[in-house]
Amino acid sequence: MAKFDSLMKATFNPPRNWTLLEDLKFYSDKLDIVSATMLRDCDVQVRNSTKTSQYIITVPKGYITDMASVPRACWMFIAPFDVARAAVIHDLLYKNIRQYRWTWREDEIREPKLELERIFRAKEISDKIFLCAMNDSEPEVPSYKKNPAYWAVKVFGNSSIIPTKDNI
């Protein structure tokens, strides 16, 4: 089972960002050692719980997020606050993947194809964590909201892991 350590505590920064006032921790028993290591390679804070067999992903205090990047026209079906905590975890994972990609250049890497495979595997793990976080959220995220949110990041999220000067 997975769970969050608390409700998200954040302050609104118009027009669409939020800043965390406290660390947000997500505990998951769905991660395995290979997946956790892959995320750590992208500088995600993933650590083992000393009390359980769970892994903990921490979004640090001060982190700035837009929660979920849902077009305003779709808010009648799913709004960013419907999946807020899961989206913040997912935002952090994608941000770390982008930062990791930003630090390497293809001409300096012996096996760029293998490196890209690692990055897309990290994205796949991040998307599954997003779904897991929505599945185990309290209050519960209804299936008619979480399934489209998951498939949206799975299908359209590739452009979100490409680093640019504006998203690093």
Side-chain angles (χ1 to χ4, degrees):
M1 183 170 158
K3 67 176 183 164
F4 288 93
D5 67 333
S6 66
L7 293 175
M8 186 172 74
K9 295 172 184 75
T11 187
F12 181 58
N13 302 316
R16 59 175 74 112
N17 288 331
W18 295 82
T19 302
L20 292 188
L21 299 173
E22 294 180 358
D23 288 355
L24 178 65
K25 295 180 183 175
F26 179 65
Y27 297 78
S28 177
D29 60 357
K30 305 283 191 282
L31 276 175
D32 58 24
I33 185 100
V34 174
S35 297
T37 301
M38 190 161 291
L39 291 174
R40 285 183 189 125
D41 288 346
C42 293
D43 295 328
V44 176
Q45 292 182 39
V46 180
R47 59 185 175 88
N48 299 62
S49 171
T50 55
K51 298 177 184 175
T52 65
S53 61
Q54 295 179 318
Y55 287 93
I56 306 165
I57 299 171
T58 302
V59 183
K61 173 183 175 179
Y63 183 75
I64 298 172
T65 180
D66 68 351
M67 288 197 248
S69 303
V70 179
R72 185 71 179 210
C74 298
W75 280 24
M76 64 186 295
F77 305 109
I78 182 168
F81 43 81
D82 291 333
V83 296
R85 287 185 293 173
V88 171
I89 297 290
H90 194 252
D91 275 359
L92 175 76
L93 297 174
Y94 269 28
K95 180 180 180 182
N96 286 5
I97 292 169
R98 284 192 308 269
Q99 288 176 333
Y100 175 74
R101 285 183 77 173
W102 187 260
T103 62
W104 61 270
R105 296 181 9 186
E106 285 190 34
D107 59 337
E108 295 175 352
I109 295 178
R110 289 187 184 153
E111 306 265 354
K113 186 175 180 181
L114 289 176
E115 198 61 33
L116 281 174
E117 287 176 17
R118 176 187 301 204
I119 287 165
F120 284 109
R121 178 73 177 115
K123 179 205 174 294
E124 182 181 313
I125 294 165
S126 300
D127 294 346
K128 287 181 181 177
I129 290 170
F130 178 54
L131 180 61
C132 178
M134 288 188 293
N135 283 336
D136 293 315
S137 284
E138 288 293 331
E140 183 178 340
V141 178
S143 293
Y144 72 90
K145 291 184 179 197
K146 69 182 162 195
N147 291 333
Y150 168 72
W151 282 100
V153 298
K154 186 171 176 60
V155 173
F156 300 110
N158 287 343
S159 63
S160 296
I161 61 169
I162 297 171
T164 66
K165 290 180 182 179
D166 296 331
N167 68 11
I168 293 295

